[in-house]
């Protein structure tokens, strides 16, 4: 594990939507740099930057045309270096997004690969002859809709793409691809980045025989959205193949030599299967995506978190939201209640073994932006009429009241959403102790003060049923989340003389006799001064 990782708090920056320094309506690296003091004041330790590489932006940067440079839309390599240096000066770590599953179709490797069947880079990609009788080589489908194969007219062969046709998959069966990525990693580590978030880390390797994926249901329900079509198949041959771990094992020494983290976007919801990626000499850490799929339901939350902690302990990263998923405030009901639940849930996540991650705007209790279909930008929305896609979670960060919400002096690349109000902005919330921003700031400060109790993966689950989820950390802390059951505040008995270290809402009380009164949809961190007997709810 990198020395700086344990005990850290992460923050995801969706680069296009964070801060625009030029007025062109698109967020950029100097914009991020100007906001570093805000992030330090918020109390985060590491930022993860979504892709800033040269790219035609078919999938907003996840279609990389050059792994070693910066797209002029976002600035220059010098801007990035300045950002890294300044972040380090502020004790902030910088994790960048590595996209090893696919490139852009404009990447010189693919341009060369499609120029001739004997081109130097032909085998950097996955090419197959049509199926007997014609058509795609197998039944695999793209995450974004349609087949995972596109015919290259010139050669008569299909190339594989698990995402857009503009995102051809790399062929990790080719050792030259391994060498190329070792070079990429070495370059970035030498430039000072503190780690990589590995895009679709459960992908990269396919079944050597490219067998069809089994269909899950017969007959299929009428499926119009990409997700429904994708979910019709058991993805046993295109995703989560055993061999992918060997790739991370081979990167591990390189990362360790630079004290850098390998953080996987392992979208595998089974905790044991996910745990395989994080055990031993594989990835240092991986996001627990199941944590951002749970409903506001106590048993579901408890069972999910408990199973993941049991399988992977402090190798987990806990995303509250992400640029691909609805904001927690939206998932948990929207409005002030959604924001309250989002903070209460994050309080628990922040006290689990591992590294909690905010997605930009989570600290403001932001809900997804309400957009009209005419403003659609996400390829999922553009390719699937009627599907909102991921634009609502990617609306620009509202920094201050006024035109452009302090994000831009120009026209934002994506509207803020008709539901965005002045009170959602960073400025409006600053200094108001009851705001999501100040409460989040306080949470992270308390977490820092209590860090010694939270570092290990020692955890006891104190409740195995009911609306309260309570854990004990390091014999010193009890953390409780009341998910709510309609019965009003829960009363939790703790030893007299404990201290309420943090409450997600003003209505949480700790009485002198040790009773913690925890309203529904709130959470608290209590520091024990004596051995606890365990809470009775
Ligand atoms: C996961 C990324 O988070 C998502 O935004 C992207 O579209 C896909 N991977 C493809 O790279």
């Amino acid at each position: 594990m990198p020395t700086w990782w344990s005990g850290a708090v992460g923050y995801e920056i969706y680069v296009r939507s964070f801060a625009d320094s030029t007025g062109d309506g698109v967020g950029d690296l100097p914009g991020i740099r100007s906001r570093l003091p805000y992030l330090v004041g918020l109390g985060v330790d590491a930022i993860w930057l979504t892709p800033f590489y040269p790219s035609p932006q078919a999938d907003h940067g996840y279609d990389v045309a050059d792994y070693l440079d910066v797209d002029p839309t976002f600035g220059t390599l010098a801007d990035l270096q300045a950002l890294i240096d300044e972040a380090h000066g502020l004790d902030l770590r910088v994790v960048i997004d590595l996209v090893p599953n696919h490139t852009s179709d404009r990447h010189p490797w693919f341009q060369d690969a499609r120029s001739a069947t004997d081109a130097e880079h032909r085998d950097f990609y996955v090419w197959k002859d049509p199926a007997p009788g014609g058509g795609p080589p197998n039944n695999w489908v793209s995450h974004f809709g349609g087949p995972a194969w596109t015919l290259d007219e010139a050669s008569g062969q299909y190339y594989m793409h698990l995402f857009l046709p503009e995102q051809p998959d790399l062929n990790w069966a080719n050792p030259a691809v391994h060498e190329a990525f070792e070079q990429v990693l070495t370059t970035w580590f030498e430039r000072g980045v503190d780690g990589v978030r590995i895009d679709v880390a459960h992908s990269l390797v396919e079944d050597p025989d490219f067998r069809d994926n089994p269909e899950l249901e017969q007959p299929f329900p009428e499926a119009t959205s990409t997700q429904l079509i994708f979910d019709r198949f058991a993805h046993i041959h295109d995703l989560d193949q055993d061999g992918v771990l060997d790739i991370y094992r081979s990167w591990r020494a390189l990362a360790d030599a630079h004290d850098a983290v390998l953080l996987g976007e392992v979208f595998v919801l089974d905790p044991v299967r996910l745990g395989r990626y994080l055990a031993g000499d594989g990835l240092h850490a991986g996001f627990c995506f199941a944590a951002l799929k749970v409903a506001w339901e106590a048993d579901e939350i408890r069972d999910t978190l408990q199973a993941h902690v049991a399988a992977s302990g402090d190798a987990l990263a806990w995303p509250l939201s992400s640029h691909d998923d609805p904001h927690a405030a939206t998932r948990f009901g929207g409005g002030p209640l959604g924001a309250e639940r989002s903070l209460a849930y994050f309080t628990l996540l922040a006290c689990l073994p591992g590294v909690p991650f905010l997605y930009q705007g989570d600290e403001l209790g932001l809900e997804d932006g309400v957009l009209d279909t005419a403003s659609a930008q996400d390829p999922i929305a553009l390719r699937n009429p009627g599907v909102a896609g991921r634009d609502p979670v990617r609306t620009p960060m509202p920094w201050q009241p006024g035109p452009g919400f302090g994000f831009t002096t120009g026209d934002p690349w994506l509207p803020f959403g008709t539901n965005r109000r002045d009170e959602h902005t960073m400025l409006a919330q600053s200094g108001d102790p009851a705001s999501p921003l100040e409460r989040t700031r306080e949470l992270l400060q308390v977490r820092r003060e209590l860090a010694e109790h939270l570092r290990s993966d020692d955890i006891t689950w104190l409740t195995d049923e009911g609306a309260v989820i309570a854990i004990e950390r390091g014999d010193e802390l009890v953390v409780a989340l009341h998910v709510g059951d309609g019965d009003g505040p829960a009363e939790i008995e703790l030893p007299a003389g404990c201290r309420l270290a943090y409450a997600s809402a003003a209505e949480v009380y700790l009485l002198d006799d040790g009773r913690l009164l925890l309203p529904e949809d709130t959470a608290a961190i209590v520091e024990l001064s004596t051995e606890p007997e365990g809470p009775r709810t």
Side-chain angles (χ1 to χ4, degrees), residues 44-391:
V44 304
D45 304 287
I47 53 174
W48 147 32
L49 304 177
T50 55
F52 46 68
Y53 311 102
S55 160
Q57 305 289 324
D59 185 19
H60 293 132
Y62 285 96
D63 46 325
V64 178
D66 180 349
Y67 287 97
L68 296 178
D69 208 343
V70 169
D71 194 289
T73 312
F74 303 124
T76 63
L77 206 47
D79 291 330
L80 181 65
Q81 199 61 60
L83 169 59
I84 295 170
D85 293 345
E86 192 158 322
H88 287 171
L90 294 167
D91 222 8
L92 263 181
R93 305 291 172 151
V94 180
V95 172
I96 63 169
D97 218 312
L98 183 76
V99 188
N101 182 68
H102 45 266
T103 68
S104 161
D105 61 347
R106 304 292 169 79
H107 194 291
W109 296 338
F110 191 70
Q111 297 283 304
D112 177 50
R114 75 184 321 173
S115 69
T117 50
D118 61 354
E120 183 191 346
H121 294 94
R122 183 78 176 177
D123 287 342
F124 265 48
Y125 297 87
V126 183
W127 299 93
K128 292 282 169 215
D129 290 332
N138 66 18
N139 71 352
W140 296 359
V141 289
S142 144
H143 290 71
F144 290 162
W149 300 93
T150 289
L151 181 65
D152 173 51
E153 302 279 351
S155 65
Q157 286 195 309
Y158 282 84
Y159 66 88
M160 193 188 89
H161 50 87
L162 292 181
F163 293 89
L164 295 174
E166 294 87 348
Q167 293 168 293
D169 270 50
L170 284 160
N171 173 20
W172 280 90
N174 179 355
V177 171
H178 291 247
E179 280 164 34
F181 272 85
E182 274 162 29
Q183 272 303 317
V184 169
L185 282 171
T186 305
T187 305
W188 282 113
F189 291 153
E190 284 176 356
R191 287 175 180 171
V193 307
D194 301 289
V196 286
R197 174 266 189 189
I198 302 164
D199 190 56
V200 280
H202 54 296
S203 198
L204 278 65
V205 171
E206 293 82 36
D207 171 46
D209 299 323
F210 288 81
R211 285 170 286 179
D212 278 355
N213 281 323
E215 296 164 0
L216 281 176
E217 289 178 51
Q218 294 282 353
F220 289 143
E222 189 54 37
T224 44
S225 82
T226 16
Q227 194 55 49
L228 281 176
I229 295 168
F230 196 79
D231 289 348
R232 283 171 162 186
F233 296 93
H235 290 271
I236 60 171
H237 295 313
D238 56 343
L239 298 176
D240 191 21
Q241 303 295 294
D242 288 345
V244 71
L245 259 175
D246 293 334
I247 298 171
Y248 307 131
R249 290 194 181 111
S250 75
W251 293 353
R252 184 64 181 248
L254 201 57
D256 287 342
H258 292 87
D259 203 24
V261 72
L262 299 177
L263 167 62
E265 188 214 12
V266 184
F267 193 88
V268 170
L269 299 178
D270 177 72
V272 175
R273 193 81 202 155
L274 169 61
R276 290 177 55 257
Y277 288 77
L278 313 179
D281 55 356
L283 296 172
H284 296 109
F287 282 109
C288 172
F289 284 99
L292 51 66
K293 299 286 172 198
V294 290
W296 192 249
E297 206 279 311
D299 287 339
E300 188 179 337
I301 294 176
R302 178 174 24 241
D303 294 350
T304 302
L305 302 183
Q306 198 169 357
H308 279 83
V309 169
S312 300
D314 63 359
L316 291 164
W318 302 102
L320 181 58
S321 311
S322 87
H323 67 286
D324 292 328
D325 300 274
H327 277 288
T330 297
R331 297 195 317 267
F332 294 148
L337 180 65
E340 200 176 337
R341 288 175 170 174
S342 166
L343 178 59
Y345 184 56
F346 190 61
T347 304
L348 179 62
L349 294 185
C351 294
L352 294 175
V355 172
F357 259 80
L358 290 164
Y359 171 54
Q360 64 186 49
D362 279 343
E363 72 275 29
L364 305 174
L366 279 197
E367 281 183 72
D368 296 351
V370 173
L371 302 174
D372 62 26
T373 46
S375 53
Q377 301 272 348
D378 177 14
I380 294 185
L382 295 174
R383 288 165 64 95
N384 299 277
V387 174
R390 301 164 294 179
D391 291 327

